[in-house]
Structure formats: structure tokens, C-alpha cells
């Protein structure tokens, strides 16, 4: 075994005639330092031929030929260096035996404050590019952390520039980093003590939830922030929405401290999140996590704006905040923000790119069509105006929706095999995706002719020719048990949801019995591969949501452990 201290190496050199002087187990007696004197017959070289110091020339005798003080210093210095080298090798061997842990992202490399990409001057089209003259000037004045790269400048002017490829990335444009590499940049979080603020899009609640958040966050506490509640239909009761979100979160068995309904645009709920972060931070760093395009950068902008009213550090951080863009994958690396006067940093992180969302299958230039820009308005089939005029499903649909197919743009097709006459489907999602209804026996031919023209996205003939089609087909048996409330929601990952509901509320014929509405429905849903389909309890939206939503009775234990919601 190699010695652990320098004295273990040096003792046979300085005191070969008395190797016990440096024994820590014996009492030390102060003595006057003397130069060692060696005799020919007691030369230590003869006794230490097999030791590590046998190669060092030890002094012999005295007089003019004896080593000078400088020679002795060099010999002693070499001994120190040899000892340090062996100790370093031993330490490296011990470290290699331990389990390797991902290193925390280094903040020593200068990165673009808008997207987190490392600054570079070689590739003009790549993220992080800065003009060489600008880079040199900023570096001279130590202002590299205040530089915005060329890609971020284009994104801020509305250009659609994707940079993420791989499983969960985006087709079209150049791809400089994979979704797996971005996810790897967050792997260090599970080994750190941090506060996690997890964002979920209410329009795509199931698709953006990140069910395997523990793989990234470890055992760190989580504050759940639901974004874009200002997009919910007019008249929606947020009390019902908050209870619905808590119920859905509890079923996933996550250790959530609290739930907050927010809007980064109107600042609704942001103050509650800020108070909760200040309460639970306790000197730790705060990381904003979420799927791609869930609204992390917009949330940070709203958060800094609100915090800046009282905190001068947060006010100063607003000048160099992350860039906002409709392009998923805008943020390409962790962005450190000094936002707290009380200590700890705020980190904007790259979005987790999920391969099962619609954004992962459409062309980059069609991505804006998937993002709602204004308050959602449900589009119902059969249309409510027909119901109001006739009090029935209309003369043109004597069997209701049976035998018809509904197309939601070119991304979703729903074949209605069996529904009751008093059933309607209401679509909640982007207004840019048009709805078309045709008889099911004509649906295949209609899709081939209308794709890229009436049914968009994909947009244009060229993209339509490259489109792989709606490869996933899932049959959904749905039980309709209550005539006063929707049966369920069919959620399409990355797009929105379809509410399967009764028409008695909208019909002028109010004495329709529950016998006409109760029963089993059969739908067949077609989506692109690998987009996921979720069947979930109905989300209580609109002015009628509060009428039919039922709060579950809780036990005393559930009252204590259930996370509270705020808005």
C-alpha cells in the first residue's frame, strides 16, 4: 500500500540512521537540527535498494566534493514531487471505484443569455453564433454574459428556426442537438438539493405533464404550476379547474407541495407562485422544468416582472431574461438568472422534448398552427344552431353522428361507429385546425384528396406527399352513465381535447330522459405515429362546467396530505 503522508517518504531520506523519529505513536523530543554524516560501510543505498528512494543519489562525506545546499534542496523537492504523484494516483484509483455521477452544468463557459447555447464564432447558422468582432469586444470588456446570439435575434422577430432533432425533435430546418442530449443536461438535478417548479399546459395537460419527472428531479420538492389558464373558454370556474388538476395530480402519486393556476400574459396566479417559492426555497437553487413550449420562458419573464417590484436583484435580471418564441426548443441549455436577494439562483432549463406530441411529427413551419393564440371556443358536432332550430339533431342527420367521420385538420380522424342521438362531440384546440365531417365510407378518399389543401397541417402538396398518414388506430368504448354531465374527454397529445357530452343542456327539448342518453358509445380515433391518445375525466370548462362538476368527499387524512391549489 502506498504511503498516505509526505513524511512517510521523507523520513528515510533525512534520518536513515533513526527511522523512528517521525513515528506518530512515539513522543517527539525537540532536538537541534544537524547535517547527517554517512560512512562508507553504512551507506543507506545498500539497505534501501528495493525502496522507492533507491534511485536518488544520497550525499557521501563532507568537504569540497559534498553536495551543496542547492543540491539538497533539489533532491528534497524531487522527493516531494514523487510523493505527490503517488498520492494523486491513489486518489484517482479510489474515485474510479465510486459510482460516476453527472457533473453539474458548468457556468464558466460564456453562453447566450437568450437560449443558453455556448457562444461561438465559427458556424453562422448554429445556435450561439456571435460576430467575431463583437465577441472580441465583449470579451475585452468582460461582457460575454450579456450577449444575444444570432439565432435568438431571429427568433425574437418571429422566424421559425428549430435546432432539436432525434427522438422528440422536429423535422425541417437544421438540427444541431438531439432531444436526448438536452435531457442529459438536466440529469444532474437528481443529485442536487433544489426546488423544482414544474410547468404544465392546461390545454395539453396530459401530453405536457412529464409523468416521469422523478427521473429528472429525484426526491426534490415540486411546485406544480399550470399555465395558460387564460385560454380556457369564457365562463370557466377556476375553482372547479383547480380541484380537477389536484385530483389528476394525486393519482400520479407525486410529492407536490402546492398547485397554482397561472397566466403569464395576464399575471394571474404569479404572485402566489412567487410567495410559495420564497417560502420553500430555503437557500436552494430554483429550477423551472417542463416539456417543450409549455411556457417556461414566459413564466420567468412574468415572475421577474412581479418580483422586480420589491426585489432589486430581480429587477436588474429583467434586462437579460431568456428569449420567448413559439418554436419548441428555443432554450438549448440551462440559463442561470440572479433573481433572489436572499441567495440562490433561478434556472431556466431546456424543454423536455416528448416524442408522443403532435409537435414532434409536423414540419417546423407548421408548428405555429398547433399553438392557440386566443381564448378557446368549443366547436360542436352536431352544431348547436341546428339543435336550437329543430330541437333535435337535425333532418340532415337522422341517426345523429353514427356512420360519419370527423377530421380535425390533417392530424386527427374520428370514426363514429355508435353513439346515441343525444350525443355531441365538442372540440377544444387551435382555431387554425378546421373541422370537416364526411360519411365514413367516403373518409379515405376524402383524406387523400383534401390533405394539404382543406386538411392542414401538413400544409402544401410537397409536405402532403411526404406525410406518413394517420398510422395509429385506437378503438374507444365509452360508457355514458349520466345525462347531466359529459362522459369523458378524449385528449390528443400536443393538440387539445374532444369532450363527449350530452346535448340536453343545449336542446330546447328539456324533457329528454336519461334513458335516451345512457348507454355505450364506440369511437375509432386515428392519429400519426407515435402521438398518444388519453381518455380522462371531463375537464369542467365553460359556463355549464360548474353546474355538472362534482367535488369528491375527502377523508381527514386526504385533507391533510392533499396539495392545496391557488390562483
Amino acid at each position: 500500500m502506498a504511503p498516505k503522508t509526505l513524511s512517510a517518504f521523507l523520513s528515510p531520506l533525512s534520518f536513515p540512521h533513526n527511522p523512528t523519529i517521525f513515528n506518530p505513536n512515539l513522543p517527539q523530543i525537540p532536538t537541534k537540527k544537524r547535517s547527517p554524516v554517512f560512512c562508507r560501510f553504512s551507506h543507506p543505498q545498500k539497505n534501501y535498494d528495493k525502496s522507492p528512494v533507491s534511485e536518488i543519489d544520497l550525499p557521501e562525506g563532507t568537504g569540497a566534493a559534498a553536495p551543496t545546499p542547492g543540491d539538497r534542496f533539489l533532491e528534497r523537492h524531487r522527493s516531494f514531487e514523487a510523493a505527490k504523484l503517488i498520492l494523486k494516483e491513489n486518489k484517482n484509483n479510489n474515485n474510479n471505484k465510486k459510482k460516476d455521477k453527472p457533473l453539474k452544468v458548468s457556468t464558466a463557459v460564456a453562453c447566450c443569455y437568450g437560449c443558453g447555447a455556448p457562444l461561438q464564432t465559427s458556424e453562422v447558422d448554429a445556435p450561439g453564433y456571435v460576430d467575431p468582432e463583437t465577441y472580441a469586444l465583449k470579451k475585452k470588456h468582460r461582457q460575454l454574459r450579456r450577449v444575444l446570439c444570432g439565432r435568438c435575434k431571429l427568433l425574437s422577430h418571429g422566424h421559425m428556426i428549430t435546432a432539436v432533432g432525434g427522438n422528440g425533435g422536429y423535422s425541417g430546418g437544421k438540427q444541431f442537438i438531439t432531444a436526448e442530449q438536452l435531457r442529459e443536461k438536466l440529469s444532474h438535478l437528481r443529485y442536487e438539493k433544489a426546488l423544482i417548479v414544474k410547468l404544465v399546459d392546461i390545454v395539453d395537460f396530459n401530453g405536457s405533464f412529464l409523468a416521469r419527472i422523478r427521473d429528472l428531479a429525484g426526491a426534490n420538492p415540486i411546485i406544480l404550476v399550470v399555465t395558460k389558464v387564460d385560454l380556457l373558454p369564457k365562463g370557466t370556474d377556476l375553482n372547479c379547474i383547480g380541484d380537477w388538476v389536484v385530483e389528476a395530480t394525486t393519482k400520479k402519486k407525486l410529492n407536490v407541495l402546492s398547485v397554482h393556476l397561472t397566466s403569464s400574459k395576464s399575471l394571474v396566479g404569479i404572485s402566489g407562485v412567487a410567495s410559495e417559492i420564497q417560502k420553500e426555497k430555503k437557500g436552494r437553487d430554483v429550477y423551472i422544468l417542463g416539456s417543450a413550449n409549455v411556457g417556461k420562458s414566459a413564466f420567468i419573464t412574468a415572475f421577474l416582472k412581479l418580483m422586480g417590484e420589491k426585489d432589486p436583484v430581480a429587477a436588474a435580471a429583467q434586462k437579460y431574461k431568456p428569449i420567448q418564441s413559439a418554436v419548441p426548443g428555443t432554450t438549448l441549455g440551462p440559463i442561470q438568472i440572479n433573481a433572489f436577494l436572499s441567495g440562490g439562483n433561478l434556472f431556466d432549463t431546456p424543454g423536455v422534448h416528448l416524442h408522443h406530441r403532435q409537435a414532434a411529427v409536423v414540419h417546423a413551419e407548421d408548428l405555429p398552427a398547433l399553438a392557440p393564440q386566443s381564448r378557446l371556443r368549443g366547436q360542436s358536432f352536431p352544431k348547436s344552431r341546428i339543435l336550437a332550430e329543430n330541437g333535435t339533431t337535425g333532418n340532415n342527420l337522422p341517426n345523429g353522428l353514427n356512420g360519419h367521420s370527423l377530421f380535425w385538420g390533417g392530424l386527427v380522424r374520428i370514426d363514429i361507429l355508435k353513439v346515441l342521438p343525444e350525443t355531441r362531440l365538442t372540440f377544444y384546440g387551435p382555431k387554425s385546425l378546421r373541422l370537416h365531417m364526411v360519411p365514413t365510407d367516403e373518409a379515405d378518399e376524402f383524406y387523400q384528396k383534401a390533405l394539404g389543401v382543406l386538411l392542414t397541417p401538413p400544409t402544401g402538396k410537397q409536405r402532403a406527399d411526404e406525410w406518413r398518414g394517420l398510422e395509429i388506430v385506437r378503438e374507444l368504448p365509452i360508457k355514458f352513465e349520466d345525462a347531466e354531465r359529459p362522459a369523458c374527454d378524449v385528449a390528443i397529445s400536443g393538440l387539445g381535447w374532444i369532450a363527449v357530452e350530452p346535448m340536453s343542456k343545449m336542446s330546447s327539448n328539456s324533457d329528454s330522459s336519461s334513458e335516451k342518453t345512457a348507454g355505450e358509445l364506440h369511437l375509432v380515433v386515428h392519429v400519426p405515429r407515435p402521438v398518444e391518445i388519453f381518455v380522462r375525466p371531463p375537464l369542467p370548462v365553460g359556463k355549464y362546467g360548474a353546474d355538472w362538476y362534482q367535488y369528491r368527499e375527502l377523508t381527514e387524512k386526504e385533507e391533510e396530505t392533499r396539495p392545496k391549489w391557488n390562483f
Side-chain angles (χ1 to χ4, degrees), residues 195-201 222-230 258-278 286-291 293-308 314 317-318 321-325 331 337 339-340 345-349 566-567:
L195 178 62
I196 306 299
V197 179
K198 174 184 173 181
L199 270 58
V200 181
D201 185 351
I222 297 173
I223 297 175
L224 183 65
V225 175
V226 181
T227 63
K228 306 179 184 179
V229 296
D230 58 308
S258 59
V259 175
H260 300 263
L261 308 182
T262 68
S263 167
S264 300
K265 185 176 181 180
S266 63
L267 300 183
V268 169
I270 302 297
S271 60
V273 181
S275 299
E276 187 74 4
I277 289 176
Q278 294 286 21
V286 180
Y287 285 82
I288 311 298
L289 293 185
S291 61
N293 219 32
V294 78
K296 295 183 297 300
S297 297
F299 169 79
I300 289 177
T301 299
F303 177 80
L304 292 176
K305 181 178 180 180
L306 191 67
M307 289 284 293
Q318 293 185 66
K321 58 183 181 290
I323 197 75
Q324 296 182 46
S325 169
T331 305
I337 304 169
F340 305 110
N345 293 310
L346 181 69
F347 284 88
D348 186 12
T349 62
N566 309 270
F567 69 88

Side-chain angles (χ1 to χ4, degrees), residues 357-435:
R357 303 180 75 191
Q358 289 280 9
V361 299
V362 303
H363 193 275
E365 295 183 6
D366 287 330
L367 289 174
L370 304 182
Q373 301 297 325
S374 58
R375 189 182 294 273
L376 299 179
R377 296 183 63 184
Q379 302 180 65
S380 298
F381 281 86
K383 294 185 181 297
S384 57
R385 61 180 177 85
I386 298 177
L387 301 177
E389 293 173 1
N390 303 317
T392 64
T393 56
N395 297 328
N396 58 335
L397 295 175
N399 296 321
L401 295 173
N402 287 317
H404 288 79
S405 295
L406 290 167
F407 288 95
W408 200 1
L411 302 178
V412 182
R413 167 183 166 181
I414 300 178
D415 297 335
I416 304 168
L417 304 183
K418 176 187 175 183
V419 294
L420 301 168
E422 294 293 324
T423 303
R424 71 172 181 177
L425 304 182
T426 303
F427 293 74
Y428 295 96
K431 294 180 181 179
S432 56
L433 268 70
R434 301 298 181 181
L435 288 165

Side-chain angles (χ1 to χ4, degrees), residues 141-160:
H141 295 283
R142 300 182 180 180
Q143 295 179 340
L144 286 178
R145 298 195 182 279
R146 300 180 181 180
V147 175
L148 196 66
C149 73
R151 173 177 175 266
C152 286
K153 292 178 181 178
L154 292 175
L155 288 173
S156 64
H157 287 84
H159 293 264
M160 304 299 293

Side-chain angles (χ1 to χ4, degrees), residues 44-58:
Q45 180 71 25
K46 305 295 183 180
N47 300 326
Y48 295 99
D49 285 339
K50 298 181 180 181
S51 66
V53 298
S54 60
E55 297 180 1
I56 301 176
D57 294 332
L58 299 177

